[in-house]
Amino acid sequence: MTFSALSHLECPKCGQTHDADQVIGLCPCGSPLLARYDVPAVTLTKDELAARPPDLWRYHELLPVRAPENVVTLGEGMTPLLPLPRYGREVGVERLLMKDEGLIPTGTFKARGAAVGVSRAYEVGVRRIAMPTNGNAGSSWAAYAARAGMAALISMPVAAPEICRREVKVVGAELHLVDGLIGDAAAFIREQEGYFDVSTLKEPYRIEGKKTMGLEIAEQLGWQLPDVILYPTGGGVGIIGIWKALVELRELGWIDGPLPRLVAVQSTGCAPIVQAYEKGLPESEPWPDAKTIAFGITVPKALGDFLVLQAIADTDGCAVAVDDETILAEQHHLARLEGAFICPEGAATFAAVRRLRESGWIRADDQVVALNTGLGLKYPETVPL
Amino acid sequence: MTFSALSHLECPKCGQTHDADQVIGLCPCGSPLLARYDVPAVTLTKDELAARPPDLWRYHELLPVRAPENVVTLGEGMTPLLPLPRYGREVGVERLLMKDEGLIPTGTFKARGAAVGVSRAYEVGVRRIAMPTNGNAGSSWAAYAARAGMAALISMPVAAPEICRREVKVVGAELHLVDGLIGDAAAFIREQEGYFDVSTLKEPYRIEGKKTMGLEIAEQLGWQLPDVILYPTGGGVGIIGIWKALVELRELGWIDGPLPRLVAVQSTGCAPIVQAYEKGLPESEPWPDAKTIAFGITVPKALGDFLVLQAIADTDGCAVAVDDETILAEQHHLARLEGAFICPEGAATFAAVRRLRESGWIRADDQVVALNTGLGLKYPETVPL
């Protein structure tokens, strides 16, 4: 049995296929590429899986790293899936669960994409990476690059959280600040020579790491899927990844029936996906003057927007925007009721749960998973002294 | 089979036994109490254990909570045990591992004691807790109290990390600041009425939570013990807990041979255990003008000091102090080589590894586990902007 069933890369826009065992970014047509696996060749059983260590590499057959010695790990994965009985009762969703991505290296779900992305980049020969970031992704990729012994150049807006700057510096990555938004940081990175650009969806494997959130939710629920999964959406890699995971599990024959309705949650300060969803468009339009306390989802125009909208459409999901005041109120409310100090992006999903229950879109007996994408600790200013 | 094999409480000083199913703090003789189990009655097998979810409640037979419905959890436990090949080679300890307690609710190992302590307090009828803290323990106990629906009063020095104040406030606990050290906070707590005092070792079950670090290390190494375990020592509950865990596993027949040599690591700014160890005393003397960047181990006189010294003596261990400058240098060095941003308390253990290797106390072929007790994220000022 081979460690990975990776077969090739495929363009979801033009359909072209590419050799996976090379350094490659986007499809020549401009679209992100998706990793494809020889799923029928996977002989893994659920029992064999259950006996493996509790990290995301337990799913190695469905991950792109071909040789175990190329795995770059800090112990990421198998984060808790916690029932929230008090909060759930209050919002009228008794079967509410939180997938808590705070309990992962660097304190946010970005670690998943970084672990798999860095491992695979290393495997195909990359030794220097560069990326623009709103903060958390940069922290994670810098950490995994250090773990791999790779050089990293990280560019972020001056307004990005201070803690992320410190995280990048402490692991010895090079930090470049721009007076602007993530798009300006991206423009700087494009000018640099000698680095592999690992911007969101510009390399094919970050999504494979994020995919493991979907694999874990399915495994943690005993391969019975929930009715709804809500995800705070900036670049949207996580929601695309969860969708991809579930489709692959269906192909593997481990799950059946309808997929969970996937919900993209945004802030009213930056809601291009919600706008496109409401207008029935296949892609989003750039959001002007993007600004929200949920810094991680300040992405005016995501490269994978069309895939996010497909994931929503394919699963009968939806997209909703909530305002910053509501996000902060929900963050504090959840902390008092359940003891969990989550990040604003995560709190946005809980605000969306409440809203969608009130509208009836979520039913009282639905089993609902809300993703908290990171630690509240990384956003100290959300709690006044 | 019963959920917990808890039998009774025992005083390690005067030997008196006490009924465990009551609200009880110290032994009337003034010593902390230890939980005792009916170990021969435990029929659990290693294979059964392996199939359980990856949190600390997998060891429920050796934990004090009698009924599963009283478990208060945020998903704590089974933190990574990471090889550190680059750093290990540099310090000359090839088989160096880090037990990373940053990947746990509230970001420090204090969550273990809080999860088990709050659960058991709830089970015996406590609904209001109070405690003094240097910061991290207060954050954890406040979070678990909120999760349990209990009231919490937390007192900490004004100089304690700001982030811990915010954590206490966000979960709705009452925060009281004192202009002094943890002893002054303790004096304030003793004056309060109507709360159960959950100060370090003043209740018997925090140590049971900390014990699970020892259980996990043994399980993660396939029930083969390492040669050395290093632990940053303030109140010392963790090192006592690890020792207790290993003794119980030996009684269970799951491990044999000599126990790992346990090392208590302190800062030169507050090193009462090291001083007592060097003088061959059975207890420590209060350390005057205690001050270190590793705030969590600023404990001038620990209630359980005699147990820490016993743990060291029983395992042929030792105690070492390292200075703040070395601690910070080691924290940054480890981050650059391995990508892990750890707390100063954790970094102290790595400084001790280097020192003890240089002196020959740690041998080149020893398997060594260094405990990182929490996230560097909670100490942002350790990395200049």
Side-chain angles (χ1 to χ4, degrees):
Chain A
M1 184 55 208
T2 50
F3 190 69
S4 167
L6 180 65
S7 161
H8 60 279
L9 296 171
E10 186 178 271
C11 175
K13 222 164 206 169
C14 76
Q16 210 185 325
T17 62
H18 301 272
D19 176 10
D21 294 301
Q22 59 174 326
V23 179
I24 186 169
L26 295 172
C27 182
C29 84
S31 166
L33 291 171
L34 297 178
R36 296 301 181 200
Y37 297 82
D38 183 6
V39 175
V42 175
T43 58
L44 177 70
T45 67
K46 291 176 185 176
D47 282 349
E48 285 166 4
L49 179 65
R52 291 182 178 174
D55 62 48
L56 63 78
W57 299 99
R58 66 198 278 112
Y59 307 109
H60 59 76
E61 286 89 347
L62 294 178
L63 292 173
V65 178
R66 294 206 189 274
E69 60 270 24
N70 291 324
V71 166
V72 179
T73 181
L74 291 163
E76 56 288 336
M78 209 38 96
T79 57
L81 186 64
L82 291 177
L84 300 176
R86 272 195 197 83
Y87 185 88
R89 266 194 300 279
E90 196 200 86
V91 298
V93 183
E94 298 262 352
R95 297 163 69 212
L96 178 61
L97 297 157
M98 172 168 68
K99 179 71 173 162
D100 189 1
E101 292 286 301
L103 302 197
I104 203 162
T106 72
T108 77
F109 76 130
K110 300 284 186 183
R112 293 183 189 265
V116 175
V118 165
S119 297
R120 181 63 180 155
Y122 188 89
E123 187 165 63
V124 296
V126 171
R127 293 296 179 269
R128 297 166 65 83
I129 60 167
M131 71 186 303
T133 178
N134 275 333
N136 284 325
S139 303
S140 292
W141 284 76
Y144 283 89
R147 179 78 165 157
M150 290 165 69
L153 167 63
I154 309 292
S155 181
M156 65 175 79
V158 286
E162 264 187 22
I163 188 69
C164 296
R165 288 197 226 169
R166 298 187 202 261
E167 289 179 276
V168 167
K169 289 179 99 165
V170 77
V171 296
E174 194 181 338
L175 174 65
H176 180 267
L177 297 175
V178 296
D179 187 9
L181 288 183
I182 190 170
D184 304 291
F188 168 79
I189 293 296
R190 276 195 299 273
E191 290 162 14
Q192 307 308 309
E193 305 249 321
Y195 292 92
F196 180 54
D197 185 344
V198 294
S199 304
T200 308
L201 291 174
K202 280 202 181 165
E203 58 72 50
Y205 301 113
R206 182 195 291 216
I207 189 173
E208 297 304 298
K210 296 284 186 76
K211 185 175 83 176
T212 59
M213 291 188 288
L215 299 176
E216 288 180 15
I217 290 169
E219 185 177 2
Q220 288 173 308
L221 294 175
W223 310 106
Q224 300 298 313
L225 299 179
D227 298 294
V228 178
I229 300 177
L230 299 99
Y231 176 82
T233 306
V237 183
I239 196 168
I240 305 168
I242 291 170
W243 177 46
K244 188 168 187 290
L246 299 175
V247 169
E248 288 172 6
L249 285 176
R250 196 161 55 184
E251 196 181 341
L252 198 59
W254 286 16
I255 58 170
D256 52 23
L259 297 186
R261 286 127 64 203
L262 298 179
V263 179
V265 180
Q266 299 200 299
S267 160
T268 51
C270 182
I273 299 287
V274 177
Q275 191 182 58
Y277 167 76
E278 288 175 349
K279 289 184 178 174
L281 300 175
E283 290 191 18
S284 65
E285 286 157 16
W287 191 269
D289 303 322
K291 192 168 170 38
T292 161
I293 178 101
F295 205 79
I297 52 175
T298 319
V299 180
K301 165 74 180 167
L303 197 57
D305 55 358
F306 70 104
L307 293 170
V308 175
L309 290 158
Q310 278 177 33
I312 293 170
D314 182 56
T315 62
D316 293 320
C318 70
V320 277
V322 290
D323 64 47
D324 281 7
E325 199 183 335
T326 306
I327 287 173
L328 283 176
E330 216 65 72
Q331 179 204 32
H332 285 247
H333 199 67
L334 183 80
R336 296 177 83 97
L337 285 179
E338 301 286 2
F341 179 22
I342 67 174
C343 65
E345 293 82 357
T349 66
F350 287 97
V353 169
R354 191 187 295 271
R355 170 96 69 79
L356 291 173
R357 179 70 196 97
E358 283 168 1
S359 76
W361 194 90
I362 289 177
R363 292 179 295 264
D365 63 346
D366 276 342
Q367 186 180 45
V368 174
V369 174
L371 258 149
N372 170 43
T373 46
L375 294 173
L377 290 173
K378 295 190 82 170
Y379 302 75
E381 73 293 345
T382 56
V383 185
L385 273 184
Chain B
M1 183 55 208
T2 50
F3 190 71
S4 168
L6 179 66
S7 161
H8 60 278
L9 296 171
E10 185 178 272
C11 175
K13 223 164 207 171
C14 75
Q16 209 185 328
T17 62
H18 301 273
D19 177 9
D21 294 301
Q22 58 174 328
V23 178
I24 186 169
L26 295 172
C27 181
C29 85
S31 165
L33 292 171
L34 297 179
R36 297 300 180 201
Y37 297 83
D38 184 6
V39 174
V42 175
T43 58
L44 178 69
T45 67
K46 291 176 184 175
D47 281 350
E48 284 166 6
L49 179 64
R52 292 182 178 174
D55 62 48
L56 64 80
W57 300 99
R58 65 199 277 111
Y59 307 110
H60 59 75
E61 286 89 346
L62 294 177
L63 292 173
V65 179
R66 295 207 188 274
E69 61 270 24
N70 291 325
V71 167
V72 179
T73 181
L74 290 164
E76 57 287 336
M78 208 38 95
T79 55
L81 186 64
L82 291 177
L84 300 177
R86 272 195 198 84
Y87 184 88
R89 265 194 301 277
E90 197 199 84
V91 297
V93 183
E94 298 261 353
R95 297 163 69 212
L96 177 62
L97 297 156
M98 172 168 69
K99 180 71 174 162
D100 190 0
E101 291 288 300
L103 302 197
I104 203 161
T106 72
T108 77
F109 76 130
K110 300 285 186 183
R112 292 183 190 265
V116 175
V118 165
S119 297
R120 182 63 181 155
Y122 188 90
E123 187 165 63
V124 296
V126 171
R127 293 296 178 270
R128 297 165 66 82
I129 61 168
M131 72 185 302
T133 178
N134 275 333
N136 284 325
S139 302
S140 291
W141 284 76
Y144 283 89
R147 179 77 165 157
M150 290 166 70
L153 167 63
I154 309 292
S155 180
M156 66 174 80
V158 285
E162 264 188 24
I163 189 69
C164 296
R165 289 197 226 168
R166 298 187 203 262
E167 287 180 277
V168 167
K169 289 178 99 165
V170 75
V171 296
E174 194 180 337
L175 174 66
H176 179 266
L177 296 176
V178 296
D179 188 9
L181 288 183
I182 189 169
D184 305 291
F188 168 80
I189 292 296
R190 276 195 299 274
E191 289 162 13
Q192 308 307 308
E193 305 249 320
Y195 291 91
F196 180 55
D197 185 344
V198 294
S199 303
T200 308
L201 290 174
K202 281 203 182 166
E203 59 72 51
Y205 301 112
R206 183 197 289 216
I207 190 173
E208 298 304 298
K210 295 285 185 76
K211 186 177 83 177
T212 58
M213 291 189 287
L215 300 175
E216 289 180 15
I217 290 170
E219 185 178 1
Q220 288 173 307
L221 293 176
W223 310 105
Q224 300 298 315
L225 298 180
D227 299 294
V228 178
I229 299 176
L230 299 100
Y231 175 83
T233 306
V237 184
I239 196 167
I240 307 168
I242 290 169
W243 178 46
K244 188 169 188 288
L246 299 175
V247 170
E248 288 172 5
L249 285 177
R250 196 162 55 183
E251 195 182 342
L252 198 58
W254 285 17
I255 59 171
D256 51 24
L259 296 187
R261 287 127 64 203
L262 299 179
V263 179
V265 181
Q266 300 200 300
S267 162
T268 51
C270 182
I273 298 287
V274 177
Q275 192 181 57
Y277 166 77
E278 288 175 350
K279 290 186 180 174
L281 299 175
E283 289 191 19
S284 65
E285 285 156 17
W287 191 269
D289 303 323
K291 191 168 170 39
T292 162
I293 178 101
F295 205 78
I297 52 175
T298 319
V299 181
K301 165 76 180 165
L303 197 55
D305 55 358
F306 70 102
L307 293 170
V308 174
L309 291 159
Q310 278 178 31
I312 293 170
D314 183 55
T315 62
D316 293 319
C318 70
V320 278
V322 290
D323 64 47
D324 281 7
E325 199 183 333
T326 306
I327 289 173
L328 283 176
E330 217 64 73
Q331 179 203 32
H332 285 247
H333 199 67
L334 183 80
R336 295 176 84 98
L337 284 180
E338 300 287 2
F341 179 23
I342 68 173
C343 65
E345 293 82 357
T349 66
F350 288 96
V353 169
R354 191 187 294 270
R355 170 96 69 81
L356 293 172
R357 180 69 198 96
E358 283 167 2
S359 75
W361 194 91
I362 290 178
R363 292 180 295 265
D365 63 346
D366 277 343
Q367 187 180 46
V368 175
V369 174
L371 258 149
N372 171 42
T373 47
L375 294 173
L377 290 173
K378 297 189 82 170
Y379 302 75
E381 74 292 345
T382 56
V383 185
L385 270 185

